[in-house]
Amino acid sequence: MAEQAQYEELARQLSAVGAVKRDMGRILPSDCPAGSAAVLTLLGRHGDMRMSKLAELLSVDMSVTSRHVAHVAARGWIDRLPDPADKRSRILRLTPAGQHRLDDMYRRTTQLFAERLSDWTDDEVGQLIQLMTRLRASFGDCRSAPARPPAPVVEETTRTPAST
């Protein structure tokens, strides 16, 4: 087990991750704020879902989720379809335009990491991914590890990680 001083340093380092999240937020397209990016990322990662599931994954209440969903729906990035199992509910689904926006965000994020970590070896990047995945698992994060490159999920202060 690690020493108390190591846990204190870990807490300091994790607090400093905010700078990484801010840089990730700066590369988002101007019409896609952090909350919208989170919605697109989660729909891209998990597929179609109800608003209640999205709110759970975002770790925000339904009113915040509704605002984010309204923003992305107004831009044509998602569809809100009737839920066949419960006509009062809606199923959220990425549209082709939403997938295009998400792909653009993945490209931007990948480029940012490629620039900022250019002096890291492949092994070092791999170790960071393994350790961050393990850290998230230790905290019981309900979001599974992405199958794609890390997405720019910069979460808002209403909830919030950076999420990813």
Side-chain angles (χ1 to χ4, degrees):
M1 186 170 212
E3 299 280 328
Q4 181 70 24
Q6 288 178 298
Y7 291 126
E8 290 170 1
E9 180 59 22
L10 177 59
R12 281 190 291 278
Q13 292 300 322
L14 287 175
S15 292
V17 169
V20 175
K21 291 169 49 176
R22 282 188 297 280
D23 269 5
M24 291 174 69
R26 287 184 193 110
I27 64 165
L28 292 175
S30 61
D31 62 346
C32 190
S36 297
V39 168
L40 296 176
T41 298
L42 290 170
L43 286 171
R45 186 178 301 156
H46 296 281
D48 301 356
M49 68 181 75
R50 286 183 174 184
M51 184 106 68
S52 58
K53 178 64 175 177
L54 180 61
E56 176 187 328
L57 292 171
L58 289 170
S59 299
V60 297
D61 65 42
M62 286 296 284
S63 65
V64 173
T65 303
S66 293
R67 284 194 302 272
H68 294 324
V69 166
H71 181 82
V72 295
R75 281 148 186 79
W77 298 336
I78 66 166
D79 286 327
R80 294 181 273 196
L81 308 167
D83 184 346
D86 179 357
K87 298 297 180 194
R88 298 167 297 170
S89 295
R90 297 278 181 227
I91 298 292
L92 307 176
R93 173 177 294 157
L94 271 180
T95 64
Q99 185 62 56
H100 178 73
R101 172 56 73 202
L102 185 58
D103 291 343
D104 176 56
M105 290 187 310
Y106 281 126
R107 278 189 297 278
R108 290 170 184 244
T109 302
T110 300
Q111 181 62 37
L112 177 67
F113 280 121
E115 289 170 5
R116 300 295 167 88
L117 305 181
S118 63
D119 60 337
W120 290 40
T121 67
D122 289 349
D123 285 344
E124 289 170 329
V125 173
Q127 288 172 348
L128 178 62
I129 292 166
Q130 285 181 331
L131 291 171
M132 290 185 76
T133 301
R134 186 173 173 192
L135 178 66
R136 284 180 53 190
S138 293
F139 279 82
D141 193 327
C142 63
R143 294 167 291 185
S144 60
R148 300 181 66 159
V153 179
V154 179
E155 292 152 14
E156 298 183 327
T157 54
T158 343
R159 167 218 185 239
T160 234
S163 167
T164 343

